[in-house]
């Protein structure tokens, strides 16, 4: 019997692109002030949609700005440290509310720099909808990121359930489902067009169920039960 549902955060409960664009608005203001680049925030978004690589270098290059690696690092630090403006989509609120009303315990396991992920969590106010949240880096650095099973074992303890009574819901084929290699956990994939949506499935491990919309998660879990 499934007793707990644990979610990934980025591109599962909200579009990670919202965080990226929030950061570009802040960085863009800095580029306008520091280098005189007009509409820099919008241009950063356009460059990102074309190719995610080296966005800061490309906008400086096309603007004829001379810069060093230290300048790129400073810009990146502004992005990583910004206070994001985000909102949890209504469809995610609906699913979390439905699952809680059905009696499931709810959690979040998310990878990334701890201060960035905590800033996202605070902006989304997602702690109001779940019982426990784990940022994997807080467990011991990047080596604790998915599919390392440590966070999943810890989450089961926090929710007072067995690992096999847990479902993990994610979007990233490269990390969110390969935990099944280590633990008897069920997984649900929410397909979309997120940053890592078209990655290869790590170790060829597929999710138990795939859905096209997060609003289908509740029915998917009922089938798994």
């Amino acid at each position: 019997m499934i007793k707990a549902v644990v979610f990934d955060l980025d591109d599962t409960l909200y579009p990670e692109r919202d965080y990226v664009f929030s950061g570009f608005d802040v960085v863009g203001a800095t580029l306008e002030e520091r280098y005189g680049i007009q509409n820099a925030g919008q241009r950063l978004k356009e460059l990102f949609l074309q190719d995610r690589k080296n966005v800061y270098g490309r906008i400086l290059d096309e603007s004829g700005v001379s810069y060093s690696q230290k300048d790129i690092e400073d810009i990146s630090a502004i992005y990583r440290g910004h206070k994001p403006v985000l909102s949890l989509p209504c469809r995610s609120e609906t699913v979390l509310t439905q699952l809680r009303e059905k009696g499931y315990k709810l959690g979040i396991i998310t990878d990334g720099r701890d201060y960035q992920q905590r800033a996202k969590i605070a902006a989304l106010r997602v702690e109001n909808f779940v019982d426990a949240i784990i940022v994997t880096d807080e467990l011991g650095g990047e080596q604790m990121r998915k599919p390392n099973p440590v966070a999943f074992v810890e989450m089961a303890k926090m929710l007072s359930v067995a690992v096999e009574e847990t479902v993990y819901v994610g979007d990233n084929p490269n990390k969110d489902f390969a935990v099944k290699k280590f633990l008897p956990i069920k997984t649900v994939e929410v397909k979309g067009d997120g940053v890592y949506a078209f990655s290869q499935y790590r170790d060829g491990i597929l999710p138990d169920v795939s859905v096209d919309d997060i609003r289908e998660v509740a029915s998917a879990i009922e089938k798994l039960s």
Side-chain angles (χ1 to χ4, degrees), residues 107-122:
I108 292 172
I109 295 176
T110 180
D111 288 343
R113 294 179 178 88
D114 54 355
Y115 60 91
Q116 282 184 278
Q117 298 310 105
R118 289 296 174 184
K120 296 173 186 177
I121 289 164

Side-chain angles (χ1 to χ4, degrees), residues 49 92 105 116 178 214 220:
L49 293 175
S92 295
K105 295 184 178 181
Q116 282 184 278
I214 195 170

Side-chain angles (χ1 to χ4, degrees), residues 19-181:
Y19 175 80
V20 174
F21 284 6
S22 172
F24 285 167
D25 286 337
V26 175
V27 170
T30 298
L31 295 181
E32 290 188 24
E33 178 180 355
R34 188 177 297 179
Y35 302 111
I37 302 174
Q38 298 300 308
N39 300 313
Q42 180 60 36
R43 184 56 183 152
L44 285 168
K45 296 171 187 177
E46 293 168 354
L47 291 171
F48 177 84
L49 293 175
Q50 295 169 8
D51 185 345
R52 300 198 303 269
K53 297 177 182 177
N54 192 32
V55 175
Y56 303 140
R58 285 156 57 207
I59 192 172
L60 294 175
D61 285 336
E62 71 177 26
S63 302
V65 174
S66 177
Y67 63 94
S68 66
Q69 182 59 34
K70 177 64 164 54
D71 294 322
I72 297 296
E73 292 171 358
D74 289 345
I75 294 169
S76 298
I78 292 170
Y79 171 86
R80 291 195 296 267
H82 90 280
K83 185 177 181 181
V85 177
L86 302 171
S87 59
L88 192 65
C90 290
R91 60 184 181 273
S92 295
E93 288 191 17
T94 297
V95 169
L96 293 170
T97 300
Q98 286 177 341
L99 292 172
R100 173 160 280 175
E101 289 175 348
K102 290 177 180 292
Y104 293 107
K105 295 184 178 181
L106 302 178
I108 292 172
I109 295 176
T110 180
D111 288 343
R113 294 179 178 88
D114 54 355
Y115 60 91
Q116 282 184 278
Q117 298 310 105
R118 289 296 174 184
K120 296 173 186 177
I121 289 164
L124 293 166
R125 299 181 180 179
V126 73
E127 70 276 4
N128 296 328
F129 295 91
V130 300
D131 303 296
I133 298 174
I134 290 177
V135 178
T136 54
D137 280 26
E138 294 176 346
L139 298 178
E142 293 184 15
Q143 67 269 25
M144 292 299 177
R145 294 182 182 181
K146 298 171 287 184
N148 191 312
V150 170
F152 295 86
V153 173
E154 181 62 24
M155 177 60 71
K157 291 178 182 177
M158 294 170 70
L159 298 179
S160 299
V161 299
V163 169
E164 57 267 28
E165 296 172 328
T166 304
V167 172
Y168 189 67
V169 181
D171 72 290
N172 187 343
N174 188 48
K175 64 166 66 174
D176 286 334
F177 316 115
V179 67
K180 292 173 65 66
K181 182 177 181 179

Side-chain angles (χ1 to χ4, degrees), residues 1-8 12 99 104-109 152 155-156 159 161-170 176-177 179-180 184-190 207-209 211 216-225:
M1 179 182 294
I2 294 170
K3 296 182 179 179
V5 185
V6 182
F7 288 84
D8 169 57
T12 298
L99 292 172
Y104 293 107
K105 295 184 178 181
L106 302 178
I108 292 172
I109 295 176
F152 295 86
M155 177 60 71
L159 298 179
V161 299
V163 169
E164 57 267 28
E165 296 172 328
T166 304
V167 172
Y168 189 67
V169 181
D176 286 334
F177 316 115
V179 67
K180 292 173 65 66
I185 187 171
K186 297 288 194 302
T187 57
V188 175
E189 176 183 23
V190 179
D208 292 289
V209 179
V211 298
E216 301 173 57
V217 167
S219 60
I221 291 170
E222 290 181 1
K223 292 179 182 178
L224 287 173
S225 296

